[in-house]
Amino acid sequence: MASSSRARSSSPFSHRKPSSPYSSTSSSSSFMNNRLMPRSCSSSASSYFNSGNGFSSRSMTPNRSRSESMYPAPRGYSARAAPPVSFPSEELITEPFDAPQRSGDSISVTIRFRPLSEREFQRGDEISWYADGDKIVRNEYNPATAYAFDRVFGPHANSQEVYDVAAKPVVKAAMEGVNGTVFAYGVTSSGKTHTMHGDHTSPGIIPLAIKDVFSIIQDTPGSEFLLRVSYLEIYNEVINDLLDPTGQNLRVREDAQGTYVEGIKEEVVLSPGHALSFIAAGEEHRHVGSNNFNLFSSRSHTIFTLMIESSAHGDEYDGVIFSQLNLIDLAGSESSKTETTGIRRKEGSYINKSLLTLGTVIGKLSEGKASHVPYRDSKLTRLLQSSLSGHGHVSLICTVTPASSSMEETHNTLKFASRAKRVEIYASRNKVYY
Ligand SMILES: Nc1ncnc2c1ncn2[C@@H]1O[C@H](COP(=O)(O)OP(=O)(O)OP(=O)(O)O)[C@@H](O)[C@H]1O
């Protein structure tokens, strides 16, 4: 009998689960009084909802015994080439490179400037880098130094505009069974959290993506969906489950299909508000951690994952498509000279080491030739391995300040972004027939 165990996708954030304690009988479904009932259920719950009024109690993915891999490539598995999401092409203007012949798609790279902060303004910072049109970042003092990207947003762009370009196509593809990863990269205080989370007046990529996912469901009559979320942080190279305070120091496991976090909690979500409530709860857990360990949001990488399954009804049934959408707010690198305490210094060195490893991994991948890629050198790159090695769309949003006092740091971010553009990906649709 079916349970909520889902088919294994090629995403790095796949989580094995024991067989469901809830059987997927009608009594375990969320179909109560013809209303979708949010409930406090763990990953094992199976609650399907569709784009119409009805709900289904059946799971689309098969139950698997513990001894079996939860996500083997089942019979009938098909990984069809999906149409690439339409990101515009890009090229480096002043630092030409020998790009490998591309046969796949590439990482989409977006740059987002924030305005000069009050602090920068007060201390007399000038503009050192600026958006020259919507594809080029240019240096004010040396105009010949410029980089081109898929898209560059100046300081007055809002998060909805950034979302529409850098995340919406990835979200849309994820709803069609193609794994996706959107992540924000940049030095501390450059605007990563503003971009990924935002606030009530200016929601960021994560709430906008959640809203979009539910609106796509509404606009997809005749299909049923199952959505689950997980939320974790990597703090000092330790993975903590933000949806389950007892889930500390979780292990990264690996099997033939890639890496996954063992024992992470997944929650079924039934509405945008429901999904956002889990994020809010997760932030609370992270905050508690902060008090105990001097942990700040900027001191951990966070990964919010939305797991999506869908299937058409009745005669229209054409297999189950599934995907994972990973929305990542990286911790910002910070100069060690700003660290004041031992704990801060330790945090900073973990952050810098993992970001350095990310840079090395991107650099190796961008070379486009077979060589050792040190994914295992950090938890972040281990978890990102499947995404970066090409299984799904990847959108990198690099946040930068125009301030002259951060000119070198911004230049480093631009160089990282430039390298990332050269990484090839081969996104394919995940589909399984039962
Ligand atoms: N595009 C923007 N427009 C207006 N304000 C912004 C923008 N980006 C960032 N800010 C503001 O700048 C400050 C720092 O931003 P934020 O906290 O998002 O940085 P961060 O990169 O996440 O830093 P950290 O790495 O320390 O977490 C915040 O007050 C934020 O509101």
Side-chain angles (χ1 to χ4, degrees):
M1 188 63 203
S3 82
S4 67
S5 306
R6 63 182 160 66
R8 176 77 159 94
S9 75
S10 54
S11 163
F13 309 112
S14 304
H15 319 301
R16 308 302 196 278
K17 301 181 296 297
S19 298
S20 170
Y22 303 88
S23 71
S24 184
T25 61
S26 55
S27 62
S28 71
S29 79
S30 297
F31 184 33
M32 297 175 68
N33 301 327
N34 212 23
R35 286 169 50 216
L36 197 58
M37 303 296 288
R39 63 186 191 189
S40 175
C41 50
S42 72
S43 58
S44 51
S46 61
S47 302
Y48 279 85
F49 53 99
N50 59 25
S51 49
N53 296 323
F55 306 104
S56 162
S57 62
R58 82 179 164 79
S59 170
M60 298 170 191
T61 50
N63 192 17
R64 298 185 194 287
S65 71
R66 191 71 184 135
S67 57
E68 224 182 328
S69 167
M70 293 296 285
Y71 310 103
R75 276 207 321 230
Y77 174 86
S78 92
R80 295 194 314 225
V85 293
S86 52
F87 295 119
S89 62
E90 82 303 306
E91 65 186 39
L92 183 66
I93 293 179
T94 54
E95 297 182 14
F97 55 86
D98 295 325
Q101 282 293 331
R102 281 186 183 154
S103 50
D105 202 359
S106 61
I107 289 183
S108 155
V109 181
T110 302
I111 307 294
R112 183 184 196 183
F113 279 92
R114 69 157 165 73
L116 276 184
S117 68
E118 186 62 26
R119 190 160 153 262
E120 289 165 340
F121 189 72
Q122 293 294 340
R123 71 178 176 215
D125 261 316
E126 295 175 343
I127 302 289
S128 64
W129 294 96
Y130 64 98
D132 182 2
D134 62 6
K135 287 187 191 296
I136 295 167
V137 175
R138 194 175 296 282
N139 188 276
E140 176 68 26
Y141 308 116
N142 182 4
T145 304
Y147 295 85
F149 297 98
D150 295 299
R151 188 66 188 262
V152 177
F153 288 100
H156 303 300
N158 64 39
S159 293
Q160 180 72 56
E161 293 171 72
V162 178
Y163 173 81
D164 287 345
V165 168
K168 197 179 179 78
V170 181
V171 171
K172 191 163 176 295
M175 294 302 285
E176 291 163 4
V178 183
N179 294 332
T181 299
V182 179
F183 62 111
Y185 176 99
V187 299
T188 192
S189 213
S190 58
K192 297 179 297 297
T193 304
H194 178 84
T195 297
M196 294 308 289
H197 288 271
D199 53 34
H200 288 302
T201 54
S202 174
I205 301 284
I206 294 175
L208 292 173
I210 289 169
K211 190 173 143 224
D212 229 9
V213 162
F214 280 93
S215 109
I216 290 171
I217 290 172
Q218 286 298 321
D219 294 343
T220 313
S223 286
E224 55 186 3
F225 291 82
L226 171 63
L227 299 180
R228 280 171 291 182
V229 298
S230 67
Y231 195 28
L232 64 82
E233 69 170 357
I234 306 173
Y235 173 67
N236 286 359
E237 281 299 281
V238 170
I239 297 175
N240 298 324
D241 190 341
L242 293 175
L243 299 187
D244 176 9
T246 66
Q248 306 286 304
N249 201 4
L250 300 179
R251 299 183 66 173
V252 180
R253 296 282 192 185
E254 191 165 2
D255 68 10
Q257 295 179 62
T259 52
Y260 62 95
V261 178
E262 186 176 57
I264 190 142
K265 193 169 191 180
E266 296 172 0
E267 298 279 7
V268 173
V269 291
L270 309 172
S271 68
H274 194 202
L276 293 174
S277 72
F278 284 120
I279 296 176
E283 292 295 312
E284 279 295 307
H285 293 142
R286 187 160 63 148
H287 187 72
V288 170
S290 302
N291 290 337
N292 290 345
F293 304 106
N294 198 17
L295 170 65
F296 295 93
S297 64
S298 60
R299 294 311 187 161
S300 65
H301 307 302
T302 59
I303 301 175
F304 177 74
T305 302
L306 192 57
M307 286 143 276
I308 305 158
E309 292 179 29
S310 68
S311 167
H313 292 300
D315 290 347
E316 300 296 310
Y317 177 81
D318 184 30
V320 175
I321 57 177
F322 54 94
S323 66
Q324 293 199 8
L325 179 63
N326 309 299
L327 304 172
I328 303 176
D329 183 14
L330 294 177
S333 59
E334 196 170 289
S335 166
S336 60
K337 63 178 182 268
T338 62
E339 308 297 340
T340 51
T341 71
I343 286 174
R344 278 303 190 103
R345 209 167 8 250
K346 185 178 167 198
E347 290 169 347
S349 84
Y350 275 114
I351 292 167
N352 286 345
K353 181 174 174 291
S354 64
L355 292 174
L356 187 68
T357 304
L358 179 63
T360 308
V361 163
I362 294 275
K364 291 275 185 190
L365 291 171
S366 68
E367 288 165 13
K369 58 188 179 209
S371 63
H372 172 69
V373 182
Y375 293 111
R376 300 181 75 90
D377 285 3
S378 77
K379 294 270 170 47
L380 178 66
T381 47
R382 278 197 85 190
L383 289 177
L384 284 172
Q385 181 167 349
S386 291
S387 294
L388 294 176
S389 60
H391 302 112
H393 292 301
V394 182
S395 177
L396 169 66
I397 303 169
C398 288
T399 54
V400 291
T401 167
S404 47
S405 60
S406 300
M407 188 165 78
E408 268 319 297
E409 285 171 318
T410 297
H411 200 178
N412 288 338
T413 298
L414 296 174
K415 285 191 270 195
F416 171 84
S418 205
R419 277 198 305 276
K421 287 190 312 175
R422 284 175 264 168
V423 178
E424 284 188 31
I425 53 173
Y426 301 86
S428 60
R429 181 170 289 133
N430 305 311
K431 193 171 201 174
V432 63
Y433 291 94
Y434 299 109

